[in-house]
Amino acid sequence: MISEADARAKILGAAKPLPARKMSILEALGHFAAEDYFARLALPMFDNSAMDGYAVISSGCDRGKRLRVVGEQPAGVDRKLSVSKGEAIRIFTGAPLPKGADAIVIQEDVMREGDEILLNTDVDVGEFIRRRGCDLGEGQKIVNRGEKIRGTTQGLLASQGLADVNVGGQVRAAVISTGDELAEAGERLQPGQIYDSNSVLLQSLLKHCGATVAMSAHCADNARALEREFQAAAKNQILFVTGGVSVGEHDLVRATLRDLGAKIDIWRVAIKPGKPFLFGGLGSCFVFGLTGNPVSAFVTFLQFVRPAILKMMGARVVDLKKLPARLTTDQRNESERAHYIRGKFEHGDFTPIGRQESHALFGLSQANALLRLEVGGSRKQGEMIEVELF
Ligand code: AMP
Ligand code: MG
């Protein structure tokens, strides 16, 4: 059995970023930028009006003053107009500011009378003008390498006239659930059988971190069948096996992998739940073996697999988000492994939830955070702790 830290280091050491590729900005949501991006264009690109109204020279523009309207400046063209004292230019939101103008009077604050306007307000210099570069300067960094591309990132890249973005490589994964007891949704359960929930849970976790599920299969506890599925799955970058990695007579995963020439780097980690965890390689494919107990599979996925996938996809941050929380009940870890307690983080409080056992899927489904308690660790009710959100 190895420590959690050693297991993590080994896995993250083996997982290398995949080659980057170009992709249309529209498709890049959730991927990770493979390079730094800098502004080619300032935002705004030119001084322009923030409102529909009149461009004026502010000095002397007091309430009650009349100005002659000498032109019109719409958005989308630059008519190269200029304004002098006593004059105004009709202007619209986003239109380039006429030469000489230093304020916009919004149309709600004037009375239009023929080709004149009457000001119903005093005018301050700079009012309703958006200055070139006030939001973003040319050359300023807009996206960091390894940053997750969000909708707002896509919008920002689009504002620079970019159609494509360089992102990290795609992880293709295969999920194989094993166990004679497993039935698929829609099948009639025989006595002693259960429905396969891990396959769905894992596929969802994989998709949530941006990986593609290229294959999913169910396999009985049968060495020949496992061999066949493992060989097919090894064409992908990652193979997940759930169930059958423990020590019982029906746990054939390790032996079958060995027979296929797989290298097994890790088997059993000091983590609770999730001890019978396996990591190795079959050809160029990483193999993760997770126990069949759903909560164990979930916790080991978050702690060991997710960081590896994110690293392969070029992410800069691979850990779960950590937040301070106030513990609502005493907690103590009397086991010999670091314990991940599932609970609910809400309004700054963390409350352990459900049965803290590795099969307790309902409790897990009500939780949204993990509290890690080291061996021998104890925390008191009301104490400030740090939780990991999922
Ligand atoms: P194993 O890791 O094969 O020893 O299985 C541990 C526990 O997890 C047993 O109670 C199994 O019935 C259960 N289990 C195994 N695979 C799955 C699965 N795909 N979905 C839900 N439970 C499972
Ligand atoms: Mg089994």
Side-chain angles (χ1 to χ4, degrees):
M1 187 155 73
I2 75 168
S3 77
E4 193 190 346
D6 286 350
R8 234 182 103 88
K10 221 171 203 173
I11 293 165
L12 280 175
K16 302 276 188 276
L18 298 169
R21 67 231 151 95
K22 246 198 175 120
M23 141 177 315
S24 121
I25 283 181
L26 268 176
E27 285 167 26
L29 185 68
H31 293 274
F32 299 94
E35 55 181 280
D36 292 336
Y37 281 87
F38 297 89
R40 313 193 295 187
L41 303 169
L43 289 183
M45 252 172 272
F46 46 85
D47 294 350
N48 69 84
S49 176
M51 297 294 268
D52 295 332
Y54 294 86
V56 300
I57 295 168
S58 60
S59 102
C61 275
D62 301 323
R63 172 196 282 266
K65 171 132 183 130
R66 283 179 183 281
L67 301 170
R68 202 158 55 82
V69 180
V70 297
E72 183 169 305
Q73 174 61 70
V77 285
D78 188 348
R79 291 189 173 157
K80 307 270 182 215
L81 300 179
S82 59
V83 67
S84 308
K85 278 206 155 215
E87 294 178 348
I89 287 174
R90 177 76 172 123
I91 195 164
F92 301 92
T93 306
L97 193 68
K99 199 161 164 226
D102 67 1
I104 306 294
V105 196
I106 62 174
Q107 65 188 45
E108 292 87 336
D109 284 342
V110 307
M111 255 219 322
R112 178 88 187 229
E113 291 167 352
D115 60 0
E116 278 190 353
I117 53 170
L118 173 65
L119 300 181
N120 293 330
T121 179
D122 296 339
V123 179
D124 289 333
V125 65
E127 248 177 358
F128 300 113
I129 290 180
R130 306 192 283 214
R131 289 290 174 197
R132 173 188 153 78
C134 70
D135 179 25
L136 175 70
E138 262 167 74
Q140 203 175 321
K141 198 191 260 191
I142 54 173
V143 179
N144 285 300
R145 179 195 172 116
E147 184 179 324
K148 189 172 195 164
I149 295 179
R150 304 181 298 154
T152 45
T153 327
Q154 290 172 297
L156 183 59
L157 290 166
S159 80
Q160 302 296 304
L162 296 170
D164 300 313
V165 57
N166 230 352
V167 298
Q170 186 65 37
V171 169
R172 273 177 303 115
V175 176
I176 298 176
S177 53
T178 73
D180 290 340
E181 73 277 38
L182 299 179
E184 280 176 53
E187 280 177 12
R188 205 191 160 93
L189 284 184
Q190 300 303 321
Q193 283 195 313
I194 60 167
Y195 285 117
D196 174 1
S197 58
N198 282 348
S199 172
V200 172
L201 176 64
L202 281 174
Q203 290 186 55
S204 168
L205 287 169
L206 280 165
K207 286 183 192 157
H208 197 248
C209 26
T212 304
V213 179
M215 168 183 163
S216 94
H218 165 247
C219 198
D221 293 316
N222 170 296
R224 295 285 83 72
L226 285 172
E227 232 169 63
R228 241 190 348 262
E229 297 294 356
F230 289 172
Q231 273 167 327
K235 295 188 197 89
N236 298 293
Q237 284 122 353
I238 294 190
L239 156 61
F240 286 95
V241 195
T242 87
V245 294
S246 209
V247 292
E249 280 89 287
H250 300 281
D251 294 328
L252 304 173
V253 168
R254 255 184 336 136
T256 309
L257 283 171
R258 279 225 187 82
D259 289 348
L260 287 172
K263 204 161 65 64
I264 293 175
D265 299 303
I266 297 174
W267 182 56
R268 297 209 288 193
V269 181
I271 180 174
K272 182 186 163 179
K275 178 167 89 168
F277 171 86
L278 175 152
F279 171 69
L282 181 56
S284 61
C285 176
F286 291 126
V287 181
F288 290 97
L290 315 179
T291 122
N293 281 307
V295 185
S296 312
F298 180 81
V299 168
T300 46
F301 183 95
L302 289 188
Q303 297 305 325
F304 301 129
V305 184
R306 182 178 178 275
I309 290 178
L310 292 179
K311 184 175 176 194
M312 289 166 84
M313 293 182 46
R316 191 167 42 91
V317 178
V318 301
D319 290 332
L320 291 171
K321 192 173 184 167
K322 290 192 173 122
L323 280 180
R326 207 171 48 84
L327 186 60
T328 60
T329 58
D330 291 356
Q331 291 296 316
R332 171 178 205 89
N333 179 9
E334 274 153 4
S335 84
E336 271 137 37
R337 294 172 273 146
H339 188 188
Y340 281 90
I341 296 163
R342 286 78 68 194
K344 188 144 199 166
F345 174 75
E346 202 171 36
H347 309 308
D349 286 343
F350 176 81
T351 307
I353 206 163
R355 297 179 72 84
Q356 297 291 325
E357 290 170 83
S358 59
H359 64 88
L361 183 56
F362 175 66
L364 179 67
S365 78
Q366 306 302 298
N368 64 356
L370 295 173
L371 164 62
R372 183 183 186 279
L373 268 193
E374 67 282 6
V375 176
S378 71
R379 300 285 183 282
K380 288 265 170 264
Q381 178 188 354
E383 209 176 305
M384 287 309 288
I385 51 167
E386 191 172 58
V387 295
E388 298 174 47
L389 292 191
F390 59 79

